[in-house]
């Protein structure tokens, strides 16, 4: 019985955010089979991220037990942000490169979130079952911060991915598809890791972390709204053109 309770605790936050982003796409919702495929690819991205991060750790580029600010930044970016966001972006590209249903800007966010939630769900399962004695505390903490964090990183990735596909995007915009999620993810983790190495700064860093999480949430909401508005404007323009042809 406890096994299923832990599993439900690990998966529930991701599924709540999946339902939320699905309900945002009201005009032309994506087929569930494609969303499921995106979710599964997100799960696979955890394996790919380890394949990227493990060699970096073996070469001494970062340590999973940082003792100062520099090592904390290396762990945050090279141990987590770069490999994880690179793996998720590759899976998103594999999914969307020949996807006929990817025909609106909001779709980029929807699919990116599905990949991100697949990653977050798999990561949650690993964390909770590997910390059996404190699974409830870890599950609640990750439901409040880590899973929504992955949601916000995915929104940023999907937002810029859609801009790169549907607009005459500059090289900088295309780079932002990867760079912005990496920066957001790296800063998110760095604020947590530095707290562990500098207990004297814990109060200040915790406050900064909470402010950053609030900013992430607001930024993600605005990006979703912008793509929804852009898609609505495109639909109105098409209707207008069809009437006066």
């Amino acid at each position: 019985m406890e096994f299923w309770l832990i599993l439900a605790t690990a998966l529930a936050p991701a599924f709540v955010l999946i339902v939320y982003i699905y309900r945002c796409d009201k005009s032309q919702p994506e087929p569930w089979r494609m969303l499921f495929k995106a979710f599964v690819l997100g799960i696979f991205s955890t394996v790919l991220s380890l394949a990227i991060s493990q060699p970096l750790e073996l070469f001494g580029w970062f340590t999973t037990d940082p003792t100062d600010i520099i090592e904390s930044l290396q762990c945050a970016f090279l141990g987590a942000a770069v490999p994880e966001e690179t793996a998720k972006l590759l899976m998103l590209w594999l999914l969307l490169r020949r996807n006929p249903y990817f025909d609106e800007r909001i779709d980029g966010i929807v699919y990116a979130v599905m990949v991100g939630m697949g990653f977050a769900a798999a990561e949650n399962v690993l964390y909770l079952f590997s910390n059996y004695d404190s699974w409830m505390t870890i599950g609640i903490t990750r439901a409040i911060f880590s899973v929504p964090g992955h949601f916000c990183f995915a929104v940023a990735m999907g937002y810029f991915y859609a801009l790169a596909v549907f607009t005459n995007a500059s090289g900088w915009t295309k780079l932002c598809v990867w760079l912005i999620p990496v920066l957001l993810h790296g800063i998110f983790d760095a604020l947590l890791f530095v707290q562990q190495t500098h207990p004297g700064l814990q109060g200040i860093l915790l406050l900064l972390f909470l402010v950053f999480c609030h900013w992430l949430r607001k930024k993600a909401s605005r990006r979703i709204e912008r793509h929804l508005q852009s898609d609505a404007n495109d639909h109105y323009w098409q209707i207008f053109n069809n009437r006066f042809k």
Side-chain angles (χ1 to χ4, degrees):
M1 181 64 182
E2 192 173 37
F3 170 86
W4 295 109
L5 183 58
I6 297 174
L7 185 63
T9 303
L11 299 179
F15 287 143
V16 168
L17 292 172
I18 285 171
V19 171
Y20 168 74
I21 198 63
Y22 181 77
R23 289 169 64 89
C24 286
D25 187 13
K26 297 178 181 179
S27 60
Q28 298 182 48
E30 303 308 293
W32 273 106
R33 62 184 178 83
M34 294 302 300
L35 298 179
F36 178 74
K37 184 177 180 180
F39 186 82
V40 172
L41 287 173
I43 295 174
F44 286 151
S45 70
T46 60
V47 179
L48 180 57
S49 71
L50 288 174
I52 298 172
S53 64
Q54 288 298 315
L56 298 179
E57 185 180 6
L58 289 175
F59 290 142
W61 286 26
F62 75 92
T63 174
T64 55
D65 189 23
T67 58
D68 55 37
I69 292 178
I70 298 300
E71 289 183 352
S72 296
L73 290 172
Q74 289 174 327
C75 184
F77 281 91
L78 298 179
V82 169
E84 291 179 14
E85 298 307 322
T86 300
K88 286 186 279 187
L89 179 56
L90 177 59
M91 293 302 174
L92 182 64
W93 175 77
L94 289 173
L95 178 73
L96 297 184
R97 63 193 181 115
R98 294 179 180 174
N99 184 352
Y101 301 103
F102 179 36
D103 54 4
E104 294 181 304
R105 298 182 205 193
I106 189 62
D107 296 345
I109 291 179
V110 172
Y111 285 117
V113 166
M114 292 301 300
V115 172
M117 291 301 94
F119 183 98
E123 189 179 58
N124 250 15
V125 169
L126 293 174
Y127 267 101
L128 267 61
F129 280 102
S130 62
N131 294 275
Y132 190 81
D133 294 335
S134 56
W135 67 266
M136 185 172 291
T137 301
I138 293 174
I140 293 172
T141 302
R142 290 186 60 81
I144 296 173
F145 296 111
S146 299
V147 178
H150 279 289
F151 175 86
C152 293
F153 311 149
V155 169
M157 181 179 290
Y159 176 82
F160 286 105
Y161 196 104
L163 285 182
V165 171
F166 293 109
T167 66
N168 187 20
S170 64
W172 170 249
T173 300
K174 294 177 181 178
L175 178 61
C176 284
V177 177
W178 175 83
L179 181 61
I180 298 301
V182 166
L183 287 175
L184 296 178
H185 194 157
I187 294 170
F188 183 95
D189 283 1
L191 289 171
L192 292 176
F193 293 156
V194 175
Q195 286 184 57
Q196 300 171 11
T197 59
H198 291 73
L201 299 175
Q202 194 166 30
I204 296 173
L205 292 171
L206 177 60
L207 179 60
L208 287 174
F209 176 73
L210 294 175
V211 170
F212 183 69
C213 288
H214 177 67
W215 178 84
L216 271 180
R217 182 189 63 79
K218 289 182 66 176
K219 200 74 173 176
S221 297
R222 288 173 184 168
R223 285 182 173 130
I224 292 170
E225 289 297 326
R226 283 176 189 167
H227 270 349
L228 287 172
Q229 187 61 49
S230 296
D231 288 336
N233 290 339
D234 289 344
H235 290 319
Y236 294 145
W237 183 247
Q238 290 173 5
I239 293 171
F240 179 82
N241 281 342
N242 290 336
R243 285 181 177 177
F244 290 95
K245 276 184 178 179

